[in-house]
Amino acid sequence: MTAPKPKTASSLTEHAHQSIKRHILSSDMTRGERLTEEFFSRELGISKSPVREAMNSLEREGLLRIEPRRGAFVRTFSEREIADLYTVREILEVHAATNAELTEEFVEGLRTSVERTKEALLRDDKAAHIEEDIAFHAQIVQAAGNAELTRVHANIQDKLWLCRCQTYQITSTDTPKAHGEIVECFAAGDRAGAIEAVRGHIQFVSKALQRAQAAS
């Protein structure tokens, strides 16, 4: 019997990275709540070093704010920051929808994503829903065949990851219908319709989040 390979520093850091992200999602953390290396080191049964590396990575992604001698805090966004991020996302995804290669595999991949989103909603699996939402839009961007566009879009999606935690309660039930409309437009070769569906979907979520932010 082959002995299991010891975990490398990079695999431990990735494990910590994903665990901290899921903790933020599943625990509905409040604004200003402090995260500590000690807590995650104890919970995950690993040293502080990979936890520290994971937190630094999450700060670069825009999910955490690390303050010297105070600790790490969940990142918050102002109404203006939310509006700016969603505006950039809209520009990128409209460009992607305009240039996406409309293959059968592309359309079927999007349809499969819609079904997974429906299943996540039935289970009330917030993390799975958010991950699938990100994957759906990433497929559209990747279909444009522009590596730099994909890179910039992924960075925007990282920053909007926390916003999606808030929009889950507001817009999650509308997501399968909105995504379904986009898919069917692509399937029918109606690129103009797909572009407008993408634009409308992103604007709807952005406005809903800004309203919620203003009311909080």
Side-chain angles (χ1 to χ4, degrees):
M1 182 175 176
T2 305
K5 292 182 180 179
K7 288 188 176 181
T8 64
S10 61
S11 67
L12 285 173
T13 299
E14 178 58 25
H15 174 55
H17 182 278
Q18 293 302 321
S19 297
I20 294 170
K21 283 182 76 171
R22 281 193 168 267
H23 176 80
I24 295 169
L25 266 178
S26 62
S27 61
D28 292 323
M29 297 187 71
T30 58
R31 293 181 187 182
E33 189 170 339
R34 186 167 171 260
L35 298 170
T36 66
E37 293 175 12
E38 291 80 6
F39 172 80
F40 287 108
S41 176
R42 185 173 62 252
E43 287 291 305
L44 301 175
I46 59 178
S47 69
K48 291 181 185 178
S49 181
V51 171
R52 186 179 306 116
E53 287 297 317
M55 285 186 163
N56 287 335
S57 176
L58 289 165
E59 182 184 37
R60 289 191 295 272
E61 291 174 19
L63 304 183
L64 292 181
R65 184 184 79 256
I66 298 177
E67 298 182 10
R69 297 181 297 280
R70 290 198 64 217
F73 301 85
V74 177
R75 174 83 155 79
T76 58
F77 293 91
S78 67
E79 287 180 63
R80 180 53 187 266
E81 286 173 321
I82 291 169
D84 288 348
L85 285 167
Y86 273 93
T87 295
V88 174
R89 181 185 161 195
E90 180 185 333
I91 292 167
L92 295 176
E93 292 195 29
V94 164
H95 177 83
T98 303
N99 293 278
E101 185 179 358
L102 306 185
T103 65
E104 285 186 18
E105 286 126 343
F106 169 63
V107 171
E108 285 309 307
L110 293 180
R111 281 188 174 140
T112 300
S113 178
V114 172
E115 292 307 310
R116 284 197 291 258
T117 298
K118 290 177 181 177
E119 291 166 5
L121 279 174
L122 287 173
R123 299 193 308 270
D124 194 25
D125 189 334
K126 185 177 180 180
H129 177 277
I130 291 173
E131 287 165 5
E132 196 57 53
D133 183 28
I134 290 170
F136 177 88
H137 290 278
Q139 285 185 65
I140 297 173
V141 172
Q142 289 162 8
N146 185 320
E148 187 63 16
L149 175 69
T150 300
R151 184 192 67 78
V152 174
H153 181 261
N155 180 257
I156 292 292
Q157 292 286 62
D158 281 340
K159 290 176 180 174
L160 287 174
W161 187 86
L162 278 176
C163 294
R164 279 185 164 89
C165 298
Q166 294 174 269
T167 59
Y168 178 79
Q169 301 299 338
I170 308 167
T171 66
S172 59
T173 55
D174 297 297
T175 300
K177 180 175 182 292
H179 285 189
E181 288 174 356
I182 293 168
V183 175
E184 294 316 310
C185 284
F186 278 132
D190 181 9
R191 194 180 292 273
I195 290 167
E196 286 311 304
V198 166
R199 192 194 309 276
H201 173 46
I202 294 172
Q203 289 180 356
F204 170 75
V205 175
S206 176
K207 288 173 183 175
L209 183 56
Q210 287 176 65
R211 285 195 299 270
Q213 189 82 346
S216 63

